[in-house]
Amino acid sequence: QGNHRRNERREFSQQGTQHKMLLTILLCSLVSVVTPWSVGDVVPMMERSLYNGEVTPWRVLGPVLSPRFGKSKSVRVHSPSAQSASGEFKISFELGQELGWKTPWITVETGCKPQDDHNKEGAPSSKKSECHHLSDIEFSFKYEKNVFGRITGFKWKPIYVSEPVNQITLHYLWHEISDYDLNNALHFIYGFSFFGAIVFALCLTLSSTTVRQGEMLVRDMKTN
C-alpha cells in the first residue's frame, strides 16, 4: 500500500507539471500573437543574387542596411553588376521573421549585351544598344502603429538609368494608415477575445481536474 501511495503521488506530481508546461506554452503563444512592432524596430531584410543560373544563399543585410519600422530612410548597397562585365545579374529581397513578403528576381542590367556596329552589308548600323542599369529600388511599406503595430502592405519599384553604377540605393518609405478599418479592428478584437476565452476555459478545466485528483488521492489515503 505504501508503494501504491507513492506511485499515485508521483503520477499526480507529473500530471501537475505537464499541466503547468501546457499553460506556459499557451500563454507564450498568446503573447507572441499580440506583440506589436514599435517605431524604430529593425525589420530584418535579406538579399540573394542570381548570376548565370547560380543562386547565392540568403544574406542578412544587418541593422544598418535593413529598414526600421515606421522610419523612412535610404541606404546604399554594392551593385552586383560591378563584379563582372559579362553575364546577367538579378537580385531578390525578402523580409524576415516570417512576414511572408518577398520580391521576384529584379534584373540589375538589361539590354547591355554588346551589339555589332555594322549591318550585313558592312555599313555602320543605325541601331543603338539601349542599356539600363538598376540604380534605385523603392520599398513602400504601409503600417499601423500604437496598439496594432503591424505591417499591412509591401511594394517595390526598381529604377533604371542609362549609365553604369557601382551602388544601388534602397529607399525605405513608410506610410502610416491613420484611418483604421473598423471591420478589421473588430475582427482582431474578436479573435483575441476568442483565443483568450479558450485559454481561460482550459485553465479552469485543468484546475478543476487537478483539484478532483487531489481530493480522490486524499480520500484514498484516508480509506487505506
Side-chain angles (χ1 to χ4, degrees), residues 37 41-46 61 65-74 93-96 99 101-103 137-144 150-157 170-177:
W37 290 89
D41 286 349
V42 175
V43 180
M45 175 80 83
M46 297 181 293
L61 294 183
L65 299 178
S66 293
R68 289 185 175 271
F69 183 83
K71 289 191 173 183
S72 299
K73 68 173 185 176
S74 298
F93 296 88
E94 180 177 10
L95 297 180
L99 292 175
W101 280 306
K102 178 172 62 176
T103 70
I137 303 178
E138 293 183 353
F139 295 101
S140 299
F141 301 86
K142 290 184 178 180
Y143 74 102
E144 299 172 354
R150 58 176 180 155
I151 303 173
T152 60
F154 175 65
K155 294 182 179 180
W156 57 92
K157 176 185 177 182
L170 307 180
H171 304 277
Y172 302 125
L173 309 176
W174 292 83
H175 307 280
E176 181 183 359
I177 300 177

Side-chain angles (χ1 to χ4, degrees), residues 126-140:
S126 60
K127 293 183 178 180
K128 294 183 179 181
S129 174
E130 295 183 359
C131 187
H132 301 282
H133 305 267
L134 180 65
S135 62
D136 303 76
I137 303 178
E138 293 183 353
F139 295 101
S140 299

Side-chain angles (χ1 to χ4, degrees), residues 204-218:
L204 292 179
T205 302
L206 294 178
S207 177
S208 61
T209 302
T210 303
V211 172
R212 287 198 301 269
Q213 290 178 345
E215 293 176 349
M216 292 176 60
L217 180 60
V218 172

